[in-house]
Amino acid sequence: MKRIFASMMIVILLFTGFPFPKTEAAYTYSQAEKLVVQAEKLAGALKWQISVEYNKTLAMPDMKLFNSTKTVHSTAQTAVNSLKDSRKAALQQRLDQNVKLQINRAVAYIDALNGGKKIEKLSNELRYLIKEEIYMIRMDDLYHELSYEIRKQAILLYRVYGKSTREAILAKYKLPAEQLKSKVAYFVTVKDLVDKAKLEMSKDEVDIYLMINYLDKANSMLDKITPEHAMRALQSDIVSLSSELSLLSEYYFEGPMIEGLNTEDGFQETMIVIFDMADYLQEELYLLDEPLKYQETRIVTFEFEGFEYTVLLYKNGENPWERPDFYTLDITEI
């Protein structure tokens, strides 16, 4: 009913007393004022098209009304520009405040809805991946696409006039997208770190300390990732990368190599590290911050004979006395 009313107003204004555009440059004051009045009436109708309080919904305004308002405003502006009358300034002020302002607000509203739909499209795709638990194929790329789109479109969303209308648009598009992102933020963060580590490992010269930084940060967030199969996939990558780094870096290591691990209490509080001293083996006892858990990966550091060791432990057996796999990532002289 509201849109029918708006369309009827357009027809009435366009065909009732609407002067045809003049081919000559000058308009009389009376002609210019009539054009300003008609533009004001159209802009007044447009104003309610972009208000959620009036429409009770977020929808595109009547584009015929929008385009007609722009057309009449342009004609009225031409007429006002041609005046030499002292009352020209008053007409210009009416055009700016009553017409141009509403057109600009309508443009901001339309841009925000179009931008919001782009966010919504990506959000729906991300929602589908989460629902179907499809994590390892496109999840991280889509997450970053959505993040970029939110940042890009937020500029348009915040330009919308009217607190209630602006908040309604943000609530419909931006808030749900951010809530979806938060569900997979840890997964994406860890996967990005793992991907960076993979890229670093592919180089001819690998930065060992950068690799350790990637692996340590990624591993520290594994327990925050759901579902479990996504976490295990990334954990498997971390273990594989640690194995590659350990093999690759052995040539550069200085100091006694680690021969193996043992325990006196099922790796609850203590861990015995066995060092290869060339002509004999030496055992050293170290305290654990907390017990090693089944299927846990943990990066630990400890000192021996003036060297600091960085080791990734992987507890892949359910028996607490079973030794974890270990990968020596670095041995640095202190």
Side-chain angles (χ1 to χ4, degrees), residues 303-316:
E303 296 178 6
F304 177 72
E305 296 288 328
F307 292 90
E308 181 180 74
Y309 293 75
T310 302
V311 178
L312 181 131
L313 305 174
Y314 177 38
K315 192 75 165 63
N316 58 359

Side-chain angles (χ1 to χ4, degrees), residues 249-257 304-309 330-334:
S249 305
E250 281 185 359
Y251 177 79
Y252 301 101
F253 289 165
E254 298 179 4
M257 298 299 297
F304 177 72
E305 296 288 328
F307 292 90
E308 181 180 74
Y309 293 75
D330 185 43
I331 303 175
T332 302
E333 187 171 9
I334 300 173

Side-chain angles (χ1 to χ4, degrees), residues 113-310:
L113 290 188
N114 286 331
K117 289 174 182 176
K118 293 178 182 178
I119 293 174
E120 190 174 53
K121 182 177 181 296
L122 292 172
S123 296
N124 289 338
E125 189 177 349
L126 181 59
R127 186 177 291 106
Y128 172 80
L129 293 184
I130 294 173
K131 180 176 179 291
E132 298 298 322
E133 295 191 356
I134 303 172
Y135 277 72
M136 301 306 295
I137 299 175
R138 172 163 161 70
M139 179 75 76
D140 54 332
D141 290 336
L142 182 58
Y143 177 94
H144 292 303
E145 288 175 23
L146 180 56
S147 297
Y148 170 77
E149 200 63 44
I150 290 174
R151 291 194 301 271
K152 176 183 173 184
Q153 301 303 336
I155 299 172
L156 301 177
L157 300 184
Y158 282 107
R159 286 177 181 169
V160 173
Y161 176 76
K163 185 175 183 289
S164 57
T165 302
R166 183 168 57 253
E167 288 180 348
I169 291 178
L170 292 171
K172 182 175 182 179
Y173 299 114
K174 188 171 181 284
L175 182 59
E178 290 176 337
Q179 290 174 338
L180 274 176
K181 282 181 53 193
S182 68
K183 293 181 179 180
V184 296
Y186 282 111
F187 168 83
V188 172
T189 301
V190 172
K191 188 170 188 306
D192 284 348
L193 288 167
V194 167
D195 288 343
K196 288 177 180 178
K198 288 179 179 179
L199 179 62
E200 184 63 30
M201 281 300 299
S202 69
K203 296 179 180 179
D204 293 334
E205 294 185 11
V206 177
D207 187 329
I208 293 175
Y209 298 104
L210 183 59
M211 279 294 300
I212 292 173
N213 183 53
Y214 288 150
L215 295 173
D216 189 32
K217 285 184 177 178
N219 191 69
S220 70
M221 290 182 277
L222 279 179
D223 62 349
K224 296 179 174 65
I225 296 175
T226 56
E228 185 174 353
H229 71 81
M231 183 273 284
R232 294 298 175 201
L234 292 175
Q235 184 186 53
S236 178
D237 284 339
I238 290 171
V239 172
S240 296
L241 286 164
S242 297
S243 177
E244 290 182 56
L245 181 61
S246 181
L247 292 172
L248 179 67
S249 305
E250 281 185 359
Y251 177 79
Y252 301 101
F253 289 165
E254 298 179 4
M257 298 299 297
I258 299 176
E259 179 67 21
L261 303 174
N262 212 331
T263 185
E264 293 180 338
D265 59 359
F267 296 97
Q268 294 300 299
E269 295 181 355
T270 62
M271 176 178 68
I272 297 172
V273 182
I274 305 166
F275 295 95
D276 184 353
M277 305 301 288
D279 53 350
Y280 67 96
L281 298 179
Q282 181 170 330
E283 297 184 353
E284 289 291 324
L285 182 68
Y286 295 95
L287 297 178
L288 295 171
D289 293 335
E290 57 183 52
L292 283 179
K293 301 174 184 176
Y294 171 53
Q295 291 191 324
E296 176 190 8
T297 44
R298 187 188 303 181
I299 294 179
V300 297
T301 60
F302 46 82
E303 296 178 6
F304 177 72
E305 296 288 328
F307 292 90
E308 181 180 74
Y309 293 75
T310 302

